């Protein structure tokens, strides 16, 4: 009975909207941990939502990861004039297909928009970082990022992300010891939403989110429930697009 199922998802949407104080929540059926098709559904839902809010000349900043890559897969022409796609932050240790730069190019092409990229070595030393942020091309893209109208980003489990980025044993131990559970934009959070580690790279800083009109979080899978919860402790997003399995866990917890 499809109608009944739909209304079930709507109940979760309503509950999560209240729980995290959000403008909009979309819950797609299934569990993206075990069914790859569900990630594509998250992608589709995000593209449709984007289509509703995007206007001419908007700047859209995007992060990396496989969920963001699914959004790029599902991207459709936006027919809005002169939209600009930029990556949210410099290299964060992802493989090429999951890097924000790669996703940014694919999204821009399919949406018929423009793009600018950030080329930053990763990991980067303190002294290189200090000089690279002064480079005119880096400065220019950083300004676009800070002036973004829309941010679309993923969330990951802290230890999964730390390992995927091949962090040093020291850093892994530190994140584990400080009970890191979630990660977004290169920031690692514990259960109470405290930042326990931050990757040094250029681009969006967490505090920049406050002045960005639309912050869209896309993350699903039961395994990400705690990570999602830890991120929303900071309450820096307006929209959550998730799946049923994560929603059930989030509503219970
Ligand atoms: O590394 C970019 C990023 O968006 C992270 O901030 C996030 O934790 C991760 O990707 C999510 O990746 P996935 O969608 O593959 O779980």
């Amino acid at each position: 009975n499809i109608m009944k199922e739909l209304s079930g998802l709507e109940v979760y949407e309503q509950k999560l909207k209240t729980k995290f104080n959000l403008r909009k929540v979309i819950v797609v059926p299934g569990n993206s941990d075990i069914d790859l098709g569900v990630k594509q559904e998250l992608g589709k839902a995000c593209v449709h939502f984007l289509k509703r809010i995007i206007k001419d000349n908007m700047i859209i900043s995007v992060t990396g990861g496989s969920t963001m890559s699914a959004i790029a897969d599902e991207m459709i022409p936006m027919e809005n004039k002169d939209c600009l796609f930029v990556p949210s932050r410099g290299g964060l240790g992802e493989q090429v297909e999951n890097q924000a730069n790669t996703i940014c190019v694919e999204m821009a092409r399919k949406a018929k928009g423009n793009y600018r990229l950030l080329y930053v070595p990763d990991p980067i030393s303190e002294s290189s970082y200090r000089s690279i942020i002064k480079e005119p091309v880096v400065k220019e893209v950083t300004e676009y990022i800070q002036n973004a109208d829309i941010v679309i980003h993923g969330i990951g489990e802290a230890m999964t992300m730390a390992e995927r980025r091949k962090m040093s044993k020291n850093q892994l131990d530190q994140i584990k010891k400080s009970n890191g559970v979630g990660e977004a934009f290169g920031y690692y959070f514990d259960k109470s939403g405290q930042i326990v580690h931050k990757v040094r790279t250029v681009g969006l800083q967490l505090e920049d989110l406050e002045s960005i009109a639309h912050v869209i979080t896309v993350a699903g899978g039961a395994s990400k429930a705690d990570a999602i919860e830890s991120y929303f402790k900071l309450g820096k997003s307006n929209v959550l697009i998730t799946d049923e399995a994560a929603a059930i866990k989030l509503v219970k917890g």
Side-chain angles (χ1 to χ4, degrees), residues 213-230:
H214 306 277
V215 182
I216 307 171
T217 305
V218 191
S223 65
K224 282 193 187 177
D226 289 347
I228 295 170
E229 178 122 37
S230 75

Side-chain angles (χ1 to χ4, degrees), residues 88-252:
S88 295
R89 300 196 77 200
L92 286 173
E94 292 274 16
Q95 288 190 300
V96 155
E97 61 273 25
N98 283 339
Q99 277 171 16
N101 274 341
T102 312
I103 287 164
C104 179
V105 174
E106 193 185 342
M107 281 192 185
R109 288 207 173 125
K110 289 188 171 164
K112 307 230 175 291
N114 309 305
Y115 62 84
R116 297 300 304 274
L117 303 179
L118 263 181
Y119 296 104
V120 187
D122 173 30
I124 186 170
S125 69
E126 178 74 37
S127 60
S128 303
Y129 171 79
R130 282 186 194 287
S131 55
I132 214 164
I133 52 172
K134 294 192 193 114
E135 287 295 333
V137 58
V138 171
K139 253 182 143 170
E140 190 198 349
V141 180
T142 308
E143 270 163 33
Y144 287 135
I145 294 168
Q146 279 158 350
N147 289 308
D149 303 285
I150 302 174
V151 170
I152 311 175
H153 76 98
I155 294 179
E157 283 177 280
M159 289 318 286
T160 306
M161 290 314 298
E163 277 160 23
R164 194 159 106 186
R165 290 172 174 154
K166 305 201 168 38
M167 285 185 160
S168 69
K169 174 139 192 338
N170 256 349
Q171 282 173 325
L172 285 176
D173 287 347
Q174 189 234 318
I175 293 171
K176 204 181 258 170
K177 232 176 68 199
S178 42
N179 300 314
V181 289
E183 189 280 347
F185 303 105
Y187 291 80
Y188 290 76
F189 309 97
D190 70 10
K191 244 189 144 134
S192 63
Q194 294 294 317
I195 297 164
V196 297
H197 178 77
K198 178 189 169 188
V199 179
R200 181 171 48 219
T201 185
V202 300
L204 192 131
Q205 307 300 310
L206 221 46
E207 52 273 22
D208 297 333
L209 291 176
E210 268 156 46
S211 58
I212 295 174
H214 306 277
V215 182
I216 307 171
T217 305
V218 191
S223 65
K224 282 193 187 177
D226 289 347
I228 295 170
E229 178 122 37
S230 75
Y231 173 76
F232 278 106
K233 286 274 156 55
L234 289 171
K236 296 258 168 73
S237 173
N238 323 110
V239 180
L240 169 65
I241 302 177
T242 189
D243 64 21
E244 195 180 357
I248 291 172
K249 246 181 120 179
L250 283 166
V251 167
K252 273 193 193 145

Side-chain angles (χ1 to χ4, degrees), residues 5-133:
E5 264 175 45
L6 277 184
S7 63
L9 294 180
E10 277 165 17
V11 171
Y12 285 117
E13 288 172 353
Q14 210 46 51
K15 286 193 172 159
L16 290 178
K17 209 172 136 182
T18 311
K19 180 179 166 99
F20 296 130
N21 189 24
L22 300 174
R23 208 183 292 152
K24 173 95 183 154
V25 175
I26 301 171
V27 178
V28 305
N31 181 0
S32 41
D33 282 342
I34 50 176
D35 181 356
L36 276 180
V38 177
K39 227 174 235 185
Q40 295 305 125
E41 291 305 316
L42 290 173
K44 265 186 212 158
C46 180
V47 168
H48 285 121
F49 184 75
L50 179 66
K51 187 137 185 127
R52 278 177 40 201
I53 60 166
I54 197 169
K55 295 194 175 67
D56 291 352
N57 299 306
M58 276 192 163
I59 302 175
I60 303 104
S61 163
V62 300
T63 69
S66 62
T67 310
M68 292 298 300
S69 174
I71 302 171
D73 285 347
E74 300 295 339
M75 188 55 76
I76 53 175
M78 287 289 156
E79 290 139 24
N80 294 87
K81 281 190 283 303
D82 289 326
C83 285
L84 178 70
F85 288 77
V86 289
S88 295
R89 300 196 77 200
L92 286 173
E94 292 274 16
Q95 288 190 300
V96 155
E97 61 273 25
N98 283 339
Q99 277 171 16
N101 274 341
T102 312
I103 287 164
C104 179
V105 174
E106 193 185 342
M107 281 192 185
R109 288 207 173 125
K110 289 188 171 164
K112 307 230 175 291
N114 309 305
Y115 62 84
R116 297 300 304 274
L117 303 179
L118 263 181
Y119 296 104
V120 187
D122 173 30
I124 186 170
S125 69
E126 178 74 37
S127 60
S128 303
Y129 171 79
R130 282 186 194 287
S131 55
I132 214 164
I133 52 172

